[in-house]
Amino acid sequence: MMKRISAMLLAVGLIFAAALPVMAAIDVYEFESAEQEKAFRDLTATLRCPKCQNNNIADSNAELAKDMRQKAFDLLSEGKSEQDVIDYMIARYGNFVTYDPPMTVSTVILWAGPLLFVLIGFTVLVMRSRKTAETSDKAELAADEEQRLKSLLEEIEQQKPSQDGKVK
């Protein structure tokens, strides 16, 4: 009976020991006001984690997201506005950290590139089909001209004088 109790206590102790790192992963921030806390929550929900790509930095467990959360907290604690924090993150990590990047040449190329590729491909197909149609028309015309040429040659042969000087 004592062996069972000690085995159970050992198992419970191992379970708690394994759970300790999980409890240490929680970030705790001390805010000066409720407005500052709301600004922090809004920022972490609107900034995208560059490593996770589809997670915001509030939901991401990546080290980069933790660093970004800490920097956002530090900047807000210094009295910076939400836009100042966003501008800092864009300057540091690029436009990708926002879910609504501004319209730039590179984003236009990314969106219009596939459309232009399809339009160019369609144009090439139309041009080639027209060229094939024109070539087949020319081939038919050449066959008509060949037939006419044969008939003219036969007429000339018939009108040509024979070796004895008589016309056929």
Side-chain angles (χ1 to χ4, degrees):
M1 182 78 165
M2 278 305 263
K3 288 183 179 180
R4 286 185 183 169
I5 292 175
S6 63
M8 285 177 36
L9 287 175
L10 181 63
V12 169
L14 288 174
I15 291 172
F16 281 121
L20 283 176
V22 173
M23 293 186 338
I26 299 172
D27 295 332
V28 178
Y29 298 104
E30 297 286 330
F31 297 100
E32 296 173 8
S33 66
E35 292 84 24
Q36 192 180 39
E37 182 177 0
K38 183 183 180 315
F40 177 77
R41 301 232 184 272
D42 290 345
L43 276 171
T44 57
T46 58
L47 292 173
R48 184 189 326 214
C49 176
K51 186 174 182 182
C52 302
Q53 296 185 0
N54 285 330
N55 285 351
N56 55 31
I57 62 172
D59 295 337
S60 175
N61 289 327
E63 287 297 319
L64 183 58
K66 290 178 186 177
D67 292 343
M68 290 174 74
R69 285 193 299 266
Q70 184 63 45
K71 191 61 179 179
F73 174 74
D74 293 343
L75 291 172
L76 287 174
S77 296
E78 292 173 7
K80 304 284 184 182
S81 69
E82 286 184 51
Q83 190 59 45
D84 291 337
V85 175
I86 291 171
D87 291 342
Y88 173 84
M89 295 295 180
I90 288 173
R92 179 98 188 236
Y93 302 104
N95 287 322
F96 183 77
V97 295
T98 60
Y99 281 105
D100 189 21
M103 183 71 72
T104 62
V105 173
S106 61
T107 55
V108 168
I109 290 171
L110 284 174
W111 285 101
L115 180 62
L116 288 173
F117 184 73
V118 168
L119 287 174
I120 290 169
F122 182 73
T123 304
V124 167
L125 285 174
V126 168
M127 298 294 281
R128 289 194 61 167
S129 66
R130 285 185 179 174
K131 192 174 194 179
T132 304
E134 288 174 7
T135 305
S136 65
D137 288 346
K138 286 181 182 179
E140 289 177 12
L141 184 61
D144 291 344
E145 287 177 348
E146 186 177 333
Q147 184 67 27
R148 184 169 177 234
L149 182 61
K150 284 181 183 178
S151 65
L152 286 174
L153 285 173
E154 287 175 3
E155 283 182 29
I156 291 173
E157 282 292 324
Q158 289 176 358
Q159 293 176 359
K160 194 184 212 181
S162 66
Q163 291 178 351
D164 57 356
K166 296 182 184 178
V167 177
K168 292 184 178 180

